[in-house]
Amino acid sequence: MDQHKTTAGALQTPMTGPINNPAAVAQALLHNPGATQALNNNPTAATAAQALLGNHGVTHKPHLNNPGVGQQLISYPGVGQQHINNPGVGQQLISYPGVGQQHISNPGVGQLMGVPGSGQGSINKPSTAQALMRSPSDSRALIRGDRGSMLSMSDDNVMMNQILATHAPDGREFDVRPLLYLVEDILNRATQHVDFLVKGTLDQVELEERAQAANHIAMLEALTYTIDRIACELSYKALGGSDAHATTTAIFNLLSSYTWDAKLVISLSAFALNYGEFWLLAQIYSTNQLAKSMAVLRQLPSLLEHAAPLKPRFDALNSLIRTMMDVTRCVVQFKELPLKYISPDAPALATAMTHIPTAVYWTIRSMVACATQISSLTNAGHEFGVSTTESWELSTLAHKLRNIYEHLKQQLSYCYKHIDERMDVEIYQMLLAIFDPNVLHIDNMKALKALIYDKDDKQPLLDGATKRQVSLDVLRRKNVLLLISSLEFANDELAILEQIYNESRIHATRLESQYEVVWIPIVDHSIIPLPEEMQTKFENLQSTMPWYSVQDPLFIKKPVIRFIKEVWHFRTKPILVVLDPQGKVVSPNAIHMMWIWGSTAFPFTSLREEALWREETWRLDLLVDGIDPTVLTWIKEEKYIFLYGGDHIEWIRRFANSARSVASASRIPLEMVYVGKSNKREQVKKVTGIINAEKLSYAWQDQAMIWFFWSRLESMLFSKIQLGRGDDQDPMLQQIKKLLSYGREGGWAVLSRGSNIAVNGHSSTVLPALGGYDEWKINVAEKGFDGAFKEYHDKLHDAAHPCCRFEFPNTIRIPETMRCPECPRLMEKYTAFLCCHDEQGIPGSLF
């Protein structure tokens, strides 16, 4: 007989010899293509093989129904496959670094197979794997026993001392973030948990770009061997039922030279390889024939058919895996903290670093537990999943790990707060340096980037004309007007600003037109993300603006807001900071000159503001310019005009009737216009209605006109103070202060002939002066109506001395001292709090 020819008869002799050695039969079966035929021709051998595989027939669905030796050999990639393709199982195991040797010293595959030369000589008692072979209930008892050892270890210090003794980093540093991205992607897709998937999965293109970077590829190549060793350690120790703490310690020994974050990410990578392969087969086996065959070897179809009883088990697995990933991210985030802004001895960081070894230990320990559970499912089948005991074990681990994570996360938040504070201080100091008036810049880009957005990855501006996002380059070397406000922007205020903006664009010359307005919205950074209501308000306001605006209010960082408030004195009312083409501040707040002179104030610099004041005089045109064409017509016609206000209707009735009576007696053309007052909006509306109904005088119907009148008047005072011209020797400033004070207290009236103002008086003196007409009417012919009235009024004023009151917002430089415009005495200074509701004040008013 030819010894080299493979026939059924040739196989009969070898197969009959070792039938009492099931491992030998399995070896012959796996490595001889004719083994199946030999078994068919040798009932004895077939019976032995059948018993070995736990099957109803060797050629029909082998090893699917019994968690026996054959199943355990074939179910684990990299081991069963190597046994199938290579003779000498024991030799193959011994030659594989870190696998065969481990199995010789621990109950493992070599003992399971019983092959001579595989470490069988060192076996003195049945292995744990053999116990698993005999009965699924034995495997459950094994895991419960391991759980008991976990919970009975009361001295964590002893345990952690063992782990710390393995830690001997060699100084090498790895950027583990790219590897973590890959691991997250694998585990996210494997768990198929929707919320988790959305939370952690990177865009596939971005993932591939990060993973394919040259330095990342080199890093992966350097770590592949270590990852494979740990993956095998997890698989075979789970298969062999080793003590979880011992397995965890073995992994720490393999990773002794790595940092804590690297230990964790490398171990999680090894776990992801095994768990990802398990679920990859589960997800594609129904559509891919190769995957289907591999899934059959792993009993996945049987498991998935009984998914309902296994749901608590998989839910517990997924929950623990998610917690493992949370802890891993947290540990990596600690490693990535910028030491420039936080020192290792900072309390939060120091506290976290003392707990990170414990966190790493229990995370890797959890990986071992998960691997054991997966091994139990694939080897013992769905019968193993009907008990909730093992799910409880995973839940207990998840609870412990979650507590560790919550503690680390809290410390991490403290670290981030510390870093943010340090970075905020640095940014604030940088802003002070950039906007130092003695520092020169080539253009305005450095200043604008520091204020708005300092990166190049986004277009931070929205063009109000085209509604498209644009970069900061559209502002390069232009005069830039920074319109800074909260989201509480009054519609009247915005409408007037838009009108002035459009006028200035029309009237500006080609050279002067090189300026742009940019809206910088100020929001509360303690409320992030912005509430939907606030976001909607921002978008609605932004949509009405014809100029540029910051695309996202959160682009404006907290230190920038601090700078704007502390240096530019922004509080709640809008300010308009003007930058020249080099980014230098040429006006700290041009909103005042814009209210006073409109587009005439272009280019809105402090020098232009001073020039305009030099040209001004105390006249009625200054008070009502650009508000009411009717009054401007009266001025041109040189009529006598009473401009008056207040909210006391009885005084208004008496004043209007007296003024009309005196004018009729003097036979002069007199016009009167009611302009309300600087607060009490609702009361002003009621008074206006009564004036209209009783036809007492002409009155401004539009509340925006009333608001603009008082805003312009306030801006005159603030403009003078801002320029450092708020001295008591300025006659025009004294008249402005008087009128503002009268507007806060009681009624008042201004008499002019044409544009020339004769009297600016309080209600307590104006009405008595009209009532004393019989005493001064004899002077009308000589001095004119306005002259005679002024002379008599001034006598009453000198005797009355009505009180004056001023309230300054923090948006301007408040004078250290101020003299009363009615008398030479210094005024007392108080601090006041105002609540500007509609019934108390006009929105946008600076008082």
Side-chain angles (χ1 to χ4, degrees):
M1 181 180 295
D2 189 353
Q3 297 297 322
H4 299 284
K5 184 179 296 185
T6 304
T7 66
L11 290 173
Q12 288 174 2
T13 300
M15 290 298 292
T16 57
I19 61 173
N20 295 322
N21 188 336
V25 176
Q27 184 177 6
L29 176 64
L30 292 173
H31 295 287
N32 198 323
T36 301
Q37 183 179 356
L39 290 172
N40 289 334
N41 295 329
N42 190 329
T44 305
T47 301
Q50 184 174 354
L52 168 69
L53 297 174
N55 209 323
H56 297 293
V58 175
T59 60
H60 178 65
K61 295 183 180 179
H63 64 265
L64 291 181
N65 300 317
N66 190 353
V69 178
Q71 178 186 338
Q72 293 209 25
L73 271 172
I74 300 174
S75 296
Y76 281 86
V79 180
Q81 294 171 357
Q82 293 198 27
H83 292 169
I84 293 173
N85 298 322
N86 297 282
V89 178
Q91 296 171 355
Q92 178 64 22
L93 280 171
I94 293 171
S95 64
Y96 192 91
V99 178
Q101 296 168 357
Q102 293 286 342
H103 287 147
I104 291 174
S105 59
N106 294 287
V109 177
Q111 295 172 349
L112 169 66
M113 294 188 61
V115 180
S118 64
Q120 190 175 16
S122 63
I123 303 175
N124 297 318
K125 60 181 180 179
S127 68
T128 305
Q130 290 172 327
L132 283 171
M133 288 167 50
R134 286 195 292 270
S135 170
S137 62
D138 292 337
S139 63
R140 288 195 290 269
L142 170 67
I143 293 179
R144 284 196 294 270
D146 180 65
R147 180 178 65 253
S149 68
M150 175 189 74
L151 297 178
S152 65
M153 186 176 291
S154 59
D155 192 353
D156 282 350
N157 290 333
V158 174
M159 177 188 69
M160 287 311 302
N161 285 337
Q162 294 176 354
I163 298 302
L164 291 171
T166 68
H167 186 59
D170 58 8
R172 289 180 299 171
E173 294 288 340
F174 289 96
D175 178 12
V176 297
R177 179 62 70 172
L179 184 58
L180 181 58
Y181 286 143
L182 291 173
V183 173
E184 285 181 316
D185 191 65
I186 292 170
L187 293 179
N188 288 341
R189 298 180 189 279
T191 55
Q192 289 293 297
H193 190 282
V194 176
D195 293 340
F196 192 46
L197 190 64
V198 172
K199 173 184 174 184
T201 302
L202 288 171
D203 181 81
Q204 190 62 30
V205 174
E206 182 182 3
L207 177 69
E208 291 177 359
E209 288 178 351
R210 295 187 180 189
Q212 293 302 320
N215 57 330
H216 296 162
I217 294 175
M219 182 268 294
L220 289 173
E221 290 177 349
L223 296 178
T224 297
Y225 175 71
T226 304
I227 293 172
D228 285 342
R229 289 188 65 185
I230 296 173
C232 292
E233 188 79 14
L234 287 170
S235 296
Y236 288 114
K237 290 298 179 67
L239 177 65
S242 297
D243 175 71
H245 175 65
T247 303
T248 305
T249 304
I251 293 173
F252 273 99
N253 284 324
L254 289 173
L255 298 171
S256 62
S257 63
Y258 294 93
T259 56
W260 293 110
D261 63 310
K263 293 180 199 288
L264 197 48
V265 175
I266 292 172
S267 300
L268 194 63
S269 303
F271 173 78
L273 281 179
N274 294 341
Y275 195 63
E277 181 184 7
F278 177 85
W279 280 111
L280 177 63
L281 293 179
Q283 292 175 14
I284 69 172
Y285 83 97
S286 62
T287 58
N288 185 291
Q289 186 57 45
L290 175 60
K292 183 176 183 181
S293 299
M294 295 180 65
V296 168
L297 291 179
R298 284 184 174 271
Q299 293 197 73
L300 287 180
S302 176
L303 289 176
L304 296 177
E305 287 173 5
H306 299 83
L310 292 174
K311 188 177 186 303
R313 179 73 61 79
F314 286 120
D315 286 346
L317 270 172
N318 287 345
S319 176
L320 182 54
I321 290 171
R322 287 193 291 273
T323 307
M324 286 158 43
M325 293 179 66
D326 287 339
V327 174
T328 303
R329 290 191 200 96
C330 197
V331 171
V332 171
Q333 286 172 322
F334 274 110
K335 182 61 181 295
E336 294 173 340
L337 292 178
L339 296 181
K340 176 182 178 183
Y341 301 107
I342 185 169
S343 62
D345 57 353
L349 183 55
T351 300
M353 295 309 295
T354 61
H355 289 89
I356 281 178
T358 303
V360 174
Y361 169 82
W362 282 108
T363 306
I364 297 179
R365 175 78 172 263
S366 298
M367 297 177 203
V368 174
C370 290
T372 301
Q373 294 291 317
I374 299 165
S375 174
S376 301
L377 287 172
T378 55
N379 291 309
H382 66 272
E383 295 178 1
F384 189 77
V386 296
S387 172
T388 59
T389 307
E390 287 71 29
S391 298
W392 175 86
E393 177 182 7
L394 295 179
S395 299
T396 301
L397 270 173
H399 178 72
K400 182 179 184 67
L401 204 58
R402 176 60 56 179
N403 287 339
I404 293 173
Y405 167 67
E406 293 297 336
H407 176 74
L408 288 180
K409 186 173 70 170
Q410 184 182 49
Q411 298 304 314
L412 186 62
S413 69
Y414 293 154
C415 290
Y416 282 145
K417 182 180 180 181
H418 178 88
I419 292 169
D420 287 344
E421 291 172 354
R422 293 285 299 276
M423 293 180 68
D424 288 352
V425 170
E426 183 179 75
I427 294 174
Y428 183 80
Q429 294 298 326
M430 177 190 68
L431 288 168
L432 290 176
I434 290 175
F435 287 99
D436 186 329
N438 299 318
V439 175
L440 299 178
H441 302 289
I442 298 175
D443 57 26
N444 55 5
M445 284 294 97
K446 187 173 183 179
L448 292 173
K449 286 184 176 182
L451 285 172
I452 299 174
Y453 194 72
D454 58 356
K455 300 178 183 177
D456 297 324
D457 58 337
K458 295 179 181 178
Q459 294 181 320
L461 299 181
L462 182 72
D463 188 337
T466 64
K467 304 305 178 186
R468 294 180 180 178
Q469 295 182 16
V470 295
S471 70
L472 289 174
D473 281 335
V474 298
L475 307 176
R476 188 183 296 274
R477 295 190 179 89
K478 291 185 177 181
N479 293 286
V480 177
L481 280 62
L482 301 174
L483 176 59
I484 303 170
S485 79
S486 67
L487 300 186
E488 303 300 327
F489 214 141
N491 292 332
D492 297 339
E493 200 167 13
L494 183 59
I496 294 173
L497 267 176
E498 184 175 348
Q499 178 183 348
I500 295 172
Y501 171 81
N502 292 331
E503 288 176 359
S504 64
R505 304 291 282 188
I506 293 172
H507 298 143
T509 65
R510 182 175 182 181
L511 179 62
E512 291 174 332
S513 66
Q514 296 301 309
Y515 85 94
E516 300 291 349
V517 176
V518 179
W519 179 43
I520 296 183
I522 304 298
V523 298
D524 186 358
H525 276 247
S526 65
I527 310 174
I528 295 177
L530 294 181
E532 183 178 353
E533 179 183 359
M534 187 177 295
Q535 183 66 31
T536 301
K537 181 182 291 186
F538 164 74
E539 293 172 358
N540 291 340
L541 194 57
Q542 186 183 52
S543 66
T544 64
M545 295 182 173
W547 44 73
Y548 293 109
S549 60
V550 175
Q551 189 261 330
D552 185 344
L554 296 182
F555 283 173
I556 310 303
K557 299 177 182 177
K558 288 191 293 184
V560 175
I561 295 176
R562 176 192 170 193
F563 176 83
I564 289 172
K565 288 181 176 181
E566 294 185 5
V567 178
W568 292 344
H569 304 291
F570 170 78
R571 290 298 178 269
T572 56
K573 305 305 178 184
I575 64 173
L576 193 67
V577 180
V578 183
L579 306 181
D580 69 8
Q582 285 71 45
K584 181 179 180 180
V585 176
V586 292
S587 175
N589 189 7
I591 199 80
H592 306 311
M593 69 176 93
M594 184 172 280
W595 288 157
I596 300 168
W597 296 289
S599 59
T600 305
F602 182 85
F604 309 108
T605 65
S606 297
L607 291 176
R608 177 60 177 161
E609 189 174 14
E610 289 183 343
L612 289 170
W613 273 123
R614 285 194 295 268
E615 299 171 3
E616 283 294 351
T617 57
W618 179 242
R619 53 195 175 88
L620 195 61
D621 308 61
L622 177 64
L623 297 181
V624 299
D625 186 30
I627 300 178
D628 188 355
T630 300
V631 178
L632 295 177
T633 300
W634 295 344
I635 292 174
K636 292 179 180 178
E637 294 174 352
E638 288 292 317
K639 290 184 176 182
Y640 290 95
I641 303 169
F642 261 128
L643 197 73
Y644 74 99
D647 62 342
H648 196 286
I649 188 60
E650 289 302 322
W651 179 87
I652 290 173
R653 283 194 181 103
R654 292 169 58 193
F655 168 77
N657 292 329
S658 296
R660 186 178 296 108
S661 175
V662 168
S664 176
S666 299
R667 298 179 181 180
I668 61 169
L670 176 68
E671 300 289 351
M672 293 183 289
V673 54
Y674 174 71
V675 298
K677 64 181 302 175
S678 61
N679 56 4
K680 298 185 179 180
R681 182 187 183 103
E682 294 302 318
Q683 179 65 18
V684 168
K685 286 183 179 179
K686 292 179 182 178
V687 171
T688 302
I690 295 173
I691 291 173
N692 293 336
E694 298 181 11
K695 298 181 180 179
L696 296 176
S697 73
Y698 176 63
W700 287 346
Q701 309 299 313
D702 190 351
Q703 290 293 315
M705 296 171 67
I706 297 175
W707 169 83
F708 193 36
F709 172 81
W710 290 105
S711 292
R712 291 183 72 252
L713 196 60
E714 292 160 355
S715 292
M716 293 176 195
L717 172 61
F718 300 152
S719 173
K720 288 274 190 178
I721 294 175
Q722 183 172 278
L723 291 173
R725 302 291 188 269
D727 58 81
D728 300 313
Q729 306 303 317
D730 185 340
M732 190 188 312
L733 181 60
Q734 298 308 307
Q735 296 299 326
I736 293 171
K737 290 196 295 185
K738 280 185 182 181
L739 190 52
L740 284 171
S741 177
Y742 298 160
R744 297 288 299 181
E745 302 291 341
W748 59 273
V750 170
L751 174 66
S752 74
R753 181 176 185 180
S755 182
N756 298 319
I757 295 176
V759 172
N760 175 15
H762 190 262
S763 59
S764 60
T765 56
V766 171
L767 187 57
L770 290 173
Y773 175 70
D774 289 341
E775 298 182 28
W776 56 268
K777 65 182 178 181
I778 59 175
N779 297 323
V780 170
E782 178 186 354
K783 300 179 180 179
F785 178 84
D786 52 333
F789 179 77
K790 173 179 170 52
E791 183 180 58
Y792 189 78
H793 173 271
D794 287 349
K795 292 179 182 179
L796 296 177
H797 174 269
D798 291 341
H801 288 305
C803 294
C804 286
R805 174 187 173 190
F806 300 99
E807 293 169 352
F808 294 94
N810 289 332
T811 55
I812 69 165
R813 182 169 58 85
I814 301 175
E816 289 296 325
T817 60
M818 178 175 286
R819 293 189 180 275
C820 175
E822 300 286 359
C823 69
R825 291 177 296 180
L826 287 174
M827 303 178 71
E828 296 182 12
K829 184 185 294 187
Y830 293 89
T831 300
F833 294 90
L834 299 178
C835 185
C836 298
H837 296 294
D838 281 351
E839 66 271 18
Q840 295 181 0
I842 298 174
S845 174
L846 296 178
F847 273 98

